[in-house]
Structure formats: C-alpha cells, structure tokens
C-alpha cells in the first residue's frame, strides 16, 4: 500500500535547512502513484505534481518534520486548498423559489440525491419541492415519489398519460420534461415553497439529446444552482463526463456520490481541476442521512490514502514547538544545555506517545535522539523522577551536583545513588557529543520554521 511505501521514504531522518531536489522527487513519485491509484486523471496529476514541486523547492524544513513529511504536508495543504478553495453554500434566489437543478449520467445518484437534499433543506429551515423531470426511464417518477415520501418532501410529478398541475392552467403534457420543470417551479411559487429541486433524466453514456434536454430545462427554469452529480466510482471517466456536462449544460457545483464505495475519490480532484467548479456535497450511501456538505480535508486524506501519515504530521507539529526547538538547538551548539532543558525536551517528546513510535518522526530532535535511543519508557520515567528531584540550581548547572547532593537526590527520587551518577555522567557525555556533532553539522539553521 501507499502507506507502506511511504514509510520507507519517511524513515529518512536527515534534518536540514531545505528540502533537497532528491527528497522532493522521491516523495513526489510516491504522491504521484497515490493520486493515480486514487483515479485522478493523468493530466491533472501532472499539473498538480508540477505545482507541488515548485512550492516544495522554496520550502524550508520545519522543526517538527522530516523532508518527506514536509512534502506530504505541502501536498495535503494544496489538495485541501484546491478541493475546498471555493466551497460555498447554495446560493439562494433573492425572490423565492430558489431553483436547484440536478444533472448527470443515469445511475449517478440524482434521484437519491433529490431526497437527501430535500431532507437537508428541511433541516435548514426551508420548504422544498421536488420536481420529477425524468420522463425517460420507466419508473423514474414513482422512484422520486417514494424518495420524496421518505424524506417528507412533496413531489411535483406529471400524471401518466394526462397532465400535471391539476385541472387548470398549469396542465402540461406528461411527455415534456421542460414543461414539467416550468410547471413545477410555478407550483412551488403558488404553494410558497422556497426551494425547488429538479430531478432530471440521465443516459448511460453521453449523448446529444440528453444534453439538449438538460440544457432546455436549464434555459426554461433559470436555476440558481445546477449541480453536476457524479459517481465517485467512475474514476477516470469523471473528467470526460464533467467536461461534456460543462459544455453541454453548464453547472455551478458538483456533488460526489457513492463515497461509501471503495473509490479513493480522485474524481473529486479531477472534476474540480478540470471544471473549476466547487464540490458542494458528498453522498455516501443509500439512506437519507448518508449525505453531508463536502469536507475538503477528509477528501484530501482519502485521495492521498495517508490518513495515518497526516495525523502523525499533525501530531508532530502540535507537540513540537519550533521556537523551543530552536532555543534548544542553540544551547546544544553552545554546549550549555541544562538538565532543565533536557527534562523539558523529554516531556515534550513524551507528550506525543510511546518513545519508540516517535523518535523516528523528529529530525529536529536528532541529537536528543541519540541520547534517548538507549532508553525505554520506564527508564525515562526514572530519568524524569531524578531530574525532578534536583533543585533548579542543580538542573541549570549540573556541575555542582556533588556526592552529598547525589545522595539527597537519590533519596528524594526513590532511586539509588548509582542511578543518579549514571544519569549525570550520561548527561555530560551526551551534551559534549551533541555540541561536537552539531558543530560539525552547522546546526544553526536546522530548526527554523518554514511558515
Ligand atoms: P440517477 O439515475 O442519477 O437518478 O441515480 P439514482 O438516484 O437512481 O441512483 C442509482 C443507484 O445508486 C440507486 O440504486 C441508488 O440507491 C444508488 N445510490 C445513489 N447514491 C448512492 C450513494 O451515495 N451510495 C450508494 N452506495 N448508492 C447510491
Ligand atoms: Mg433518477
């Protein structure tokens, strides 16, 4: 899986001021595969990766992240930005009713969506009316009626073989979807319902007649929103379909359906990139409640297939304060790290979880890592207890810790004098080693934050 592959990349711990081209290329290769596996269309992948490389090249490595993590973070941010940059609510008509038209291929989930949208609109305080304009497929009208009943939303539909809208002026032939759509909007106005959702016909494939019909309905009803409904499972085809609907009918927003399936959701990125229209809602099942406004961050991590990696990155950043890291680094360089600093760093690192899990995530703590690598959590507990048993003066200047102080600290912390000796000795060794190492590596700029 991608996560496995990335673990290899992510285990690279070289901390440095900037991302190297090799780091960027290597990580971008993995991201590229992730996007292709998620069914993002190839041209979209290319454009996206080029953008990422550009941005990654100027980026500095933050204190908390290793180079690969840094690239993943950038990718995630870009992805969330693209998916959600223009996320907006339904635009309501100044004079009701607001008209929302649904368009898309047969089986995309339009009729199901009409019910979900109706249900959602009621919860938002609206009074929707569903209009059945799919007169193509036998049973489509009664399907919408069932959906409407379940959602508690009235449905305007032509009566088979006769006319709709009662006996009078609104009567239209049951075979003309454009007339039904127009009559439906009139009915909503008459009944003072404030939102009209127009369900339309789809075909299995793209065809001119379908586009013409949808386009005619749009022209006749002048919808405030035309939502292009697309099945997330169709993957790469989403681009062709979206382009066809964009030029044939035009739309103002996208609804992604069947996200409960195993599709990784690349269609979202493709459609967004190719059409420039925002994804507004997501459907994730056949039930009325399997519906939500679109969440770019969830979709981004789904597309990348790296939920775990992303949450690790977030965790690392939350708990690793770059400023503190910088200060610690300066002290390490100067050789004047105190036991107080040591304790602070240790506590900060331990906030993130078991020591074994997190050492690898902290390039900025590379030098601390060597000092900590030999110990497990229970040993850390003891180290913590010993340092806490010291006075502030002792922590700030460990050199003053003589034999009698060692005895006092041991008694106070419930450890032996040998334990205290070991800690103090190890601390001096580690401090010396860190100062030497960081001097060689030019650590001054390592932990500068990138943003
Ligand atoms: P339409 O032809 O565009 O009106 O599509 P329908 O609303 O009739 O949906 C086609 C099929 O997909 C139906 O069996 C729906 O129950 C199913 N469906 C619609 N949306 C979803 C969804 O989000 N998840 C799943 N699993 N099935 C869905
Ligand atoms: Mg339908």
């Amino acid at each position: 899986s991608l996560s496995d592959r990335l673990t290899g990349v992510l285990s690279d711990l070289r901390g440095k001021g900037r991302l190297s081209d090799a780091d960027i290329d290597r990580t971008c290769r993995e991201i590229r595969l992730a996007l292709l596996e998620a069914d993002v269309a190839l041209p979209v992948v290319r454009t996206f990766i080029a953008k990422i490389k550009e941005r990654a090249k100027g980026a500095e490595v933050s204190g908390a992240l290793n180079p690969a993590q840094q690239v993943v973070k950038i990718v995630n941010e870009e992805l969330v930005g693209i998916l959600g940059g223009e996320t907006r609510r339904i635009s309501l008509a100044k004079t009701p009713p607001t008209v929302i038209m649904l368009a898309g291929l047969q089986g995309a989930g339009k009729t199901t969506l009409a019910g979900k949208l109706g249900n959602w609109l009621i919860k938002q305080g609206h009074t929707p009316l569903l209009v059945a304009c799919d007169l193509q497929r036998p049973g489509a009208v009664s399907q919408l009626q069932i959906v409407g009943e379940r959602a508690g939303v009235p449905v305007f539909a032509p009566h088979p073989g006769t006319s709709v809208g009662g006996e009078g002026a609104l009567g239209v032939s049951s075979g003309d979807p454009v007339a039904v759509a127009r009559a439906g909007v009139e009915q909503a106005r008459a009944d003072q319902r404030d939102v009209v959702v127009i369900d339309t016909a789809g075909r299995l494939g793209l065809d001119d007649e379908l586009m013409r019909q949808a386009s005619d309905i749009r022209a006749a009803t002048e919808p405030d929103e035309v939502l292009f409904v697309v099945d997330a499972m169709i993957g790469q085809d989403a681009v062709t379909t979206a382009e066809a609907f964009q030029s044939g009918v035009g739309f103002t927003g996208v609804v992604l359906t069947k996200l409960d399936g195993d599709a990784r959701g690349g269609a979202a990125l493709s459609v967004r990139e190719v059409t420039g229209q925002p994804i507004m809602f997501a459907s994730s099942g056949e039930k009325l409640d399997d519906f939500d406004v679109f969440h770019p961050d969830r979709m981004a991590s789904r597309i990348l297939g790296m939920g775990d990696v992303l949450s690790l990155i977030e965790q690392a950043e939350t708990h690793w304060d770059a400023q503190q890291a910088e200060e610690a680094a300066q002290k390490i360089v100067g050789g004047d790290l105190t036991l107080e600093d040591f304790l602070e760093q240790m506590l900060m690192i331990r906030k993130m979880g078991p020591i074994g899990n997190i050492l690898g995530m902290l390039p900025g703590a590379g030098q601390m890592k060597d000092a900590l690598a030999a110990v497990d959590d229970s040993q850390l507990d003891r180290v913590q207890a010993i340092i806490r048993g010291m006075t502030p003066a002792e922590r700030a200047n460990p050199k003053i810790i003589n034999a009698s102080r060692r005895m006092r600290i041991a008694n106070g912390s419930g450890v032996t004098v040998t334990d205290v000796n070991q800690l103090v000795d190890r601390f001096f060794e580690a401090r010396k080693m860190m100062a030497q190492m960081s001097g060689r590596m030019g650590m001054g700029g390592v932990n500068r934050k990138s943003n």
Side-chain angles (χ1 to χ4, degrees):
S1 79
L2 180 83
S3 292
D4 296 337
R5 280 205 310 270
L6 266 165
T7 311
V9 181
L10 291 171
S11 64
D12 179 6
L13 287 176
R14 282 164 302 151
K16 44 193 153 183
R18 266 172 206 287
L19 296 168
S20 75
D21 286 358
D23 287 328
I24 295 170
D25 287 346
R26 219 148 43 103
T27 312
C28 279
R29 238 185 341 264
E30 298 299 334
I31 303 292
R32 189 172 183 279
L33 285 172
L35 297 174
L36 290 172
E37 269 176 21
D39 270 337
V40 181
L42 189 58
V44 176
V45 173
R46 287 210 188 101
T47 318
F48 186 71
I49 292 288
K51 204 184 297 176
I52 294 301
K53 282 195 175 166
E54 203 50 47
R55 195 182 145 189
K57 283 198 171 123
E60 286 181 44
V61 178
S62 96
L65 308 179
N66 70 36
Q69 289 174 321
Q70 185 80 23
V71 179
V72 172
K73 178 175 181 258
I74 291 172
V75 171
N76 186 53
E77 280 172 7
E78 279 294 318
L79 210 47
V80 172
I82 287 176
L83 291 172
E86 289 157 47
T87 297
R88 53 172 183 80
R89 289 305 181 108
I90 296 251
S91 40
L92 297 169
K94 284 201 192 75
T95 322
T98 296
V99 178
I100 302 171
M101 171 179 164
L102 309 181
L105 290 181
Q106 184 175 316
K110 294 181 295 300
T111 304
T112 311
L113 175 71
K116 291 173 176 179
L117 205 51
N119 182 55
W120 182 82
L121 284 164
I122 286 175
K123 286 185 191 155
Q124 306 280 313
H126 294 287
T127 51
L129 174 72
L130 309 184
V131 178
C133 292
D134 179 358
L135 310 180
Q136 216 82 43
R137 202 165 52 83
V141 171
S142 59
Q143 185 194 352
L144 186 71
Q145 282 167 327
I146 292 165
V147 159
E149 198 166 311
R150 206 176 292 149
V153 186
V155 175
F156 180 88
H159 299 295
T162 62
S163 60
V164 288
E167 268 49 74
L170 296 179
V172 292
S173 140
S174 65
D176 180 0
V178 177
V180 174
R182 206 182 276 128
V185 175
E186 280 315 308
Q187 189 70 53
R189 195 167 285 133
D191 295 350
Q192 303 202 332
R193 305 204 70 88
D194 72 344
V195 184
V196 181
V197 178
I198 301 177
D199 184 28
T200 66
R203 301 292 171 93
L204 283 173
L206 296 163
D207 82 31
D208 291 346
E209 203 198 320
L210 161 74
M211 290 299 172
R212 207 173 314 119
Q213 184 183 96
S215 177
D216 288 348
I217 293 175
R218 180 174 193 176
T221 57
E222 294 179 348
D224 301 280
E225 297 278 5
V226 180
L227 300 182
F228 170 58
V229 183
V230 62
D231 178 343
M233 307 284 286
I234 73 171
Q236 302 270 351
D237 284 343
V239 166
T240 347
T241 312
E243 278 172 334
F245 272 89
Q246 193 176 33
S247 63
V249 188
F251 53 84
T252 59
V254 179
V255 180
L256 216 53
T257 65
K258 311 200 187 177
L259 282 167
D260 49 320
D262 59 4
R264 283 265 299 278
L269 180 61
S270 299
V271 171
R272 178 72 185 82
E273 270 286 271
V274 166
T275 69
Q277 295 300 344
I279 298 156
M280 297 179 68
F281 298 100
S283 248
S284 58
E286 304 195 49
K287 293 196 300 292
L288 278 179
D289 281 340
D290 300 330
F291 173 78
D292 202 351
V293 292
F294 181 70
H295 294 289
D297 51 341
R298 288 184 209 165
M299 184 52 68
S301 77
R302 179 173 179 144
I303 290 174
L304 289 177
M306 297 192 297
D308 294 350
V309 174
L310 291 172
S311 59
L312 272 181
I313 288 175
E314 206 169 277
Q315 213 181 4
E317 290 205 302
T318 319
H319 293 298
W320 185 263
D321 183 309
Q323 186 67 40
Q324 274 173 285
E326 171 87 4
E327 281 163 21
Q330 292 308 337
K331 282 182 175 168
I332 289 169
V333 176
D336 40 41
L337 190 75
T338 67
L339 273 166
E340 185 69 50
D341 302 324
F342 190 74
L343 179 63
E344 230 172 65
Q345 299 283 311
M346 188 186 298
L347 292 175
M348 200 152 66
I349 289 170
R350 295 192 77 188
K351 266 195 293 193
M352 296 171 54
I355 195 77
N357 296 356
I358 55 177
L359 282 175
M361 294 170 46
L362 294 167
Q367 285 73 24
M368 299 301 290
K369 192 185 109 180
D370 292 327
L372 294 175
V375 293
D376 63 24
D377 281 303
S378 70
Q379 285 172 296
L380 286 183
D381 288 338
R382 193 146 36 130
V383 169
Q384 233 164 272
I386 295 172
I387 299 178
R388 287 208 163 112
M390 295 176 181
T391 66
E394 288 163 348
R395 293 183 206 175
N397 184 12
K399 287 200 172 118
I400 66 169
I401 306 176
N402 59 20
S404 70
R405 284 173 188 266
R406 286 173 198 225
M407 183 84 81
R408 193 206 79 238
I409 294 164
N411 287 335
S413 325
V415 299
T416 66
V417 175
T418 316
D419 288 329
V420 179
N421 287 341
Q422 268 178 4
L423 170 71
V424 174
D425 292 348
R426 240 202 263 155
F427 171 75
F428 282 123
E429 260 170 54
R431 187 167 78 170
K432 206 168 106 196
M433 197 182 67
M434 287 184 225
Q436 281 169 355
M437 269 175 45
S438 56
R440 270 206 310 277
M441 293 171 58
M443 265 205 35
V446 168
N447 290 299
R448 213 152 283 143
K449 215 174 157 79
S450 64
N451 39 14

